[in-house]
Amino acid sequence: MSDLIHQINKEKLPKHIAIIMDGNGRWAEEQGQDRLFGHYHGVESVRNIVEGCAELGVEYLTLYAFSTENWDRPKNEVDGLMTLLVETIRKEVPILNKNKIKLHVIGDVSMLPAFALKELEEAIEMTSTNTGLNLVMALSYSSRWEIIHAVKQLAKKVEQGDIKAENISQEIFNQFLCTHSIPDPELLIRTSGEFRISNFLLYQIAYTELHFTPTYWPAFRKQNLYEAILDFQNRERRFGKTSHQLNTT
Ligand code: IPE
Ligand code: IPE
Ligand code: MG
C-alpha cells in the first residue's frame, strides 16, 4: 500500500481531478451518529486530499461539496453544513496561503446565506494571488443550473447584437460556464459506491475518466487518491480514435 505513490507516473498526472464527495451521512449512521458528525469528519478528508493533490503537483482539484438539490435536505442539516463551511474556511485560509492554494467557487452562490457568502468571498480574495493548486469548491452547484445560466447570458449577448447566433462555438459557449477558466477534469472520482453523476459537470466530463470507489468520503485518504490516479494512468484514452492510431502516431 505505502508504495502506491511511487507507482504514479509524474509525467502523466491528471491536471484536473474532480471529486463527488459522497457518503458522509451513511458513514456516520453506521456508527450510530448524527449525519452532521459525518460532515465534520468529511472536512478531515478534504484537508488530506487537498494536501495530497498539492504534494503531487495536480493543478486543479474540484470538490462537489453541496448541490442545488441539497437545499431540499432537512433544515438542521443544511444549517449545519453552512456553519461548517464558514468555520472551515475561517480556519483553513492561513493554511491555504501557506501552501499557495488558490480558492475558487462554482455554483449559484446567490442561494448561500449572507454570512457564508461573505466569508467565502473574503477567502477567495485572500488567496487570489496564490500560484499553487487551484481548489475549486462546487457549492450550491448543479450542472443543469450552470448550463441554463450560461444559455441565458449568451442569449443576452445575442439579443444585444454582441454575438451572432451562427458564430456560437464550443469555445464561446465555454466562456459562459462557471468553469470558463478551468480545463476539463481528466479524472472524476465518486466515493460511497454510488454509480451516478448527480448533476455534476455534465458538459465538462464529456471525455473524463470515471473512477468509482465504495469508500465513504470521511474514510477517503491519500492512498485512495493514489489508487484512483493509478487506475486513471492504466486507461487508454482514445478520444474516439482507434487504439492502433494512438500507438502509431
Ligand atoms: C455527501 O454526503 C455530502 C453532501 C452531499 C453534502 P451525504 O450527506 O450525501 O451522505 P450520504 O450519501 O447520505 O451517505
Ligand atoms: C451529490 O451527493 C452531491 C454532493 C456530493 C455534494 P448526493 O448525496 O446529494 O447525491 P444523490 O442524491 O445520492 O444522487
Ligand atoms: Mg449522498
Side-chain angles (χ1 to χ4, degrees):
M1 254 314 242
S2 62
D3 66 348
L4 277 184
I5 191 168
H6 304 299
Q7 295 173 34
I8 293 175
N9 178 351
K10 291 286 188 80
E11 310 294 308
K12 277 179 60 185
L13 267 186
K15 222 182 174 175
H16 181 178
I17 299 177
I19 308 183
I20 302 174
M21 309 185 289
D22 197 17
N24 294 355
R26 277 164 288 166
W27 182 86
E29 280 159 5
E30 282 184 10
Q31 301 171 60
Q33 300 279 356
D34 185 79
R35 295 177 57 84
L36 278 171
F37 179 79
H39 297 314
Y40 273 83
H41 280 270
V43 175
E44 274 306 312
S45 305
V46 171
R47 263 190 216 112
N48 191 266
I49 297 313
V50 168
E51 189 180 273
C53 285
E55 284 164 358
L56 284 171
V58 171
E59 291 179 40
Y60 295 87
L61 172 65
T62 299
L63 298 176
Y64 200 9
F66 193 86
S67 72
T68 310
E69 289 76 19
N70 290 148
W71 289 115
D72 294 331
R73 290 195 178 188
K75 186 176 180 315
N76 81 309
E77 185 168 345
V78 172
D79 290 350
L81 279 164
M82 292 302 134
T83 307
L84 179 61
L85 172 70
V86 169
E87 277 175 12
T88 307
I89 295 172
R90 212 168 272 163
K91 234 190 283 166
E92 296 300 313
V93 165
I95 301 162
L96 295 181
N97 280 334
K98 189 168 151 261
N99 297 313
K100 300 192 167 54
I101 297 167
K102 183 171 175 172
L103 184 67
H104 308 256
V105 69
I106 57 172
D108 185 6
V109 289
S110 68
M111 298 272 290
L112 292 172
F115 72 97
L117 185 56
K118 183 170 169 278
E119 199 73 31
L120 195 62
E121 282 172 345
E122 281 172 14
I124 290 170
E125 172 60 30
M126 284 192 279
T127 63
S128 63
T129 57
N130 291 340
T131 53
L133 173 72
N134 289 284
L135 173 60
V136 185
M137 296 301 297
L139 281 172
S140 186
Y141 175 88
S142 76
S143 202
R144 288 187 176 179
W145 166 81
E146 180 190 32
I147 290 168
I148 297 300
H149 180 73
V151 168
K152 281 184 187 161
Q153 306 291 109
L154 183 51
K156 264 188 218 153
K157 293 278 180 198
V158 174
E159 260 174 19
Q160 290 162 5
D162 297 337
I163 296 175
K164 280 191 162 172
E166 64 264 34
N167 290 339
I168 296 172
S169 60
Q170 292 184 21
E171 286 70 29
I172 289 180
F173 181 68
N174 192 43
Q175 288 167 18
F176 293 87
L177 294 171
C178 301
T179 53
H180 55 85
S181 60
I182 302 169
D184 289 343
E186 279 131 315
L187 170 61
L188 170 67
I189 300 169
R190 182 171 189 145
T191 62
S192 92
E194 305 296 353
F195 296 92
R196 56 177 172 264
I197 301 299
S198 303
N199 220 345
F200 190 44
L201 301 177
L202 298 176
Y203 186 81
Q204 296 85 342
I205 61 171
Y207 262 106
T208 301
E209 297 297 329
L210 310 180
H211 175 89
F212 296 97
T213 167
T215 306
Y216 290 143
W217 178 250
F220 194 90
R221 286 294 179 274
K222 287 179 195 175
Q223 292 300 319
N224 306 91
L225 173 74
Y226 303 153
E227 265 170 30
I229 294 174
L230 286 169
D231 180 23
F232 165 83
Q233 291 189 333
N234 284 322
R235 310 264 182 102
E236 183 179 60
R237 305 189 71 203
R238 290 191 284 277
F239 299 98
K241 294 186 177 168
T242 67
S243 190
H244 179 74
Q245 280 178 301
L246 295 175
N247 292 311
T248 51
T249 52

